[in-house]
Amino acid sequence: MRTFYSEDHRLHFPQAELSGGEFVTPFERPSRVEYVLNRLRERGLSDIMAPRPVDMAPIRTLLDPGYLCFLETAWEEWKREGMAGEIIAANVPARGMHLDRIPTNIDGKVGYYCHASETAITSGTWAAALSSAACAQSALGHVAAGADAAFALCRPPGHHATADQYGGYCFINNAAVVAQMFRDKGAARVAILDIDFHHGNGTQNLFYDRDDVLFASLHGAPQEAYPYFLGYADETGIGKGDGLNLNYPMTAGTGYGAWAAALDDAIGKITAWGADALVISLGVDAYKDDPISFFKLDSDDFTNAGRRIGRMKLPTVFCMEGGYAIEAVGINTVNVLEGFKDI
C-alpha cells in the first residue's frame, strides 16, 4: 500500500494548547508522524511518496469561501494588529448572539471561525493544512488509477473541520475532500467510516443532507467526550440524507468486543447500501493508553479492525486523523493497514 506524506506538515507546530486550565505542549504534534513513518519502514511498507500540488477545486466545492480566505490570511491579519503570540480563540458567539454577522477585527474573526480553542494557528498552519489535503488527494488519485487502497499520512488531521469552522486540531476536512473527489470521478455512492475516538462532527456537518455519501462514526459518547455537542445516535441525517448518518456513541471503558460489534454494524450497513468507494478516517485514539480518550482497545485489536474493513473489498483511501499515545501511534496505525492488506 502506497503512503503519501509531506514534510510541510512540520510548518504547523503550535507551542501551546489549553488543556485542563493550563498551557501544555499540544497532543497533536509533529512527532506523531515520525512514529508512523518509522513503523511503516520497519514493517516493509516503504512505498512512501510526496503528494502532487494541492487542487483547490474540490476544496472550494465543500468549504465556505469566507472561511478559506480567513485561513489563508489570518496570520498576516493577526500580526498586523500587533498580536505577539499564536492565534487562539478568545471570543466565540454564544447562545443569543448573532451568528450571521462576521466581525471585521481579526480577534472576532478567529472566534467566529473556530469551534474549539485548544487549536492554535501559527505562521505555517495554512501551508501545512494544504499539504495535508494534498496527501489525501494524491492517495485518492492513486486509488482512482486502479490501486486497491492508499494511505494519506495527513497532518494536521481533518475530520473535526466543518464547512466554515476549524477546531479539534483540524482545518480542512481531508476525508470529506476525498469523498467529494470519488464522487467527481464517477463513484455513485461513497461511504466514510470514521474509527477515530472522537466524533467526526465536521464530516457529519458536510454531508448531513446528502444522499450520495454515507457517514458512519464510532466514538466516545458526546455527553462525556469532545466534541460534546454532536454525535448522538439519533442524528441520522435530514432531507435526502435521512438514514445515511450513522453514529455509534460508546461510554467510558468500552473494550474491543462492543467496539467491534459497532464496527460490524456499520460495515453491514455500508455494504447493504451499496457503496462504490470507501474513505476511512483513521484515528487510533481508541487505544487503551491514549491520554485524551477513554476506550480500551489493544494494539492487536487494530489489526483485527483492519481485516474487518478489508473484507468490504472496496477501493479505499485511509486518511490519518487522531492518536496521541505517541510511542504507540505508529504501531496502531500500521496494524490497521496490515490487517486490511491481509484480506
Side-chain angles (χ1 to χ4, degrees):
M1 185 185 302
R2 180 167 293 172
T3 294
F4 291 90
Y5 158 78
S6 172
E7 279 286 312
D8 283 352
H9 82 91
R10 301 180 190 279
L11 298 173
H12 174 69
F13 187 12
Q15 297 305 295
E17 171 184 335
L18 184 60
S19 177
E22 60 182 347
F23 284 106
V24 301
T25 301
F27 293 102
E28 202 294 293
R29 61 187 75 156
S31 57
R32 297 175 62 244
V33 168
E34 298 307 314
Y35 279 96
V36 177
L37 285 172
N38 290 340
R39 185 63 174 177
L40 286 167
R41 291 170 177 135
E42 286 173 6
R43 300 296 294 174
L45 300 176
S46 55
D47 184 4
I48 302 170
M49 292 185 61
R52 295 187 299 273
V54 68
D55 178 3
M56 291 302 298
I59 296 173
R60 292 192 182 102
T61 296
L62 287 172
L63 303 189
D64 174 75
Y67 172 60
L68 288 174
C69 181
F70 162 79
L71 289 178
E72 185 174 8
T73 62
W75 184 255
E76 291 179 4
E77 289 191 55
W78 185 257
K79 288 303 172 183
R80 198 158 55 237
E81 287 293 321
M83 308 293 195
E86 297 172 343
I87 301 176
I88 298 176
N91 304 280
V92 297
R95 287 184 293 275
M97 295 184 178
H98 282 291
L99 301 177
D100 58 340
R101 299 180 184 178
I102 304 173
T104 56
N105 181 278
I106 184 59
D107 194 36
K109 283 184 185 178
V110 171
Y112 181 83
Y113 286 115
C114 180
H115 64 69
S117 60
E118 87 290 287
T119 303
I121 292 176
T122 73
S123 60
T125 295
W126 175 238
L130 290 180
S131 76
S132 185
C135 289
Q137 291 178 341
S138 290
L140 176 280
H142 186 58
V143 172
D148 293 334
F151 174 42
L153 183 45
C154 298
R155 182 181 176 273
H159 72 147
H160 293 306
T162 72
D164 60 0
Q165 285 188 309
Y166 71 94
Y169 313 129
C170 303
F171 302 93
I172 295 174
N173 195 312
N174 303 306
V177 170
V178 170
Q180 183 62 51
M181 292 180 72
F182 264 131
R183 287 286 293 115
D184 294 344
K185 291 180 179 295
R189 295 184 170 192
V190 181
I192 303 174
L193 175 59
D194 190 328
I195 63 171
D196 189 281
F197 169 82
H198 301 94
H199 177 249
N201 60 293
T203 314
Q204 175 170 309
N205 166 267
L206 284 159
F207 297 110
Y208 203 58
D209 61 352
R210 287 177 54 167
D211 62 359
D212 56 345
V213 177
L214 181 152
F215 175 61
S217 177
L218 283 61
H219 53 269
Q223 61 267 43
E224 303 177 58
Y226 177 87
Y228 298 112
F229 305 106
L230 212 62
Y232 289 89
D234 60 1
E235 298 161 12
T236 59
I238 57 173
K240 293 188 298 182
D242 187 25
L244 297 181
N245 194 87
L246 311 175
N247 284 328
Y248 297 87
M250 290 168 273
T251 57
T254 293
Y256 188 63
W259 191 91
L263 177 63
D264 285 344
D265 190 80
I267 288 171
K269 289 176 178 172
I270 290 169
T271 301
W273 183 60
D276 301 306
L278 180 65
V279 185
I280 304 294
S281 274
L282 178 52
V284 292
D285 41 1
Y287 180 57
K288 63 184 180 181
D289 293 329
D290 195 275
I292 56 174
S293 308
F294 56 57
F295 288 168
K296 299 299 178 184
L297 272 63
D298 287 308
S299 290
D300 289 345
D301 295 331
F302 290 100
T303 307
N304 186 270
R307 291 194 188 103
R308 291 169 188 257
I309 293 167
R311 292 186 189 118
M312 282 190 275
K313 299 290 186 181
L314 290 172
T316 302
V317 173
F318 292 88
C319 292
M320 189 71 200
E321 303 286 3
Y324 309 103
I326 298 294
E327 294 184 1
V329 68
I331 294 169
N332 295 336
T333 300
V334 175
N335 280 2
V336 174
L337 302 178
E338 289 189 321
F340 180 90
K341 285 180 59 191
D342 281 349
I343 301 302

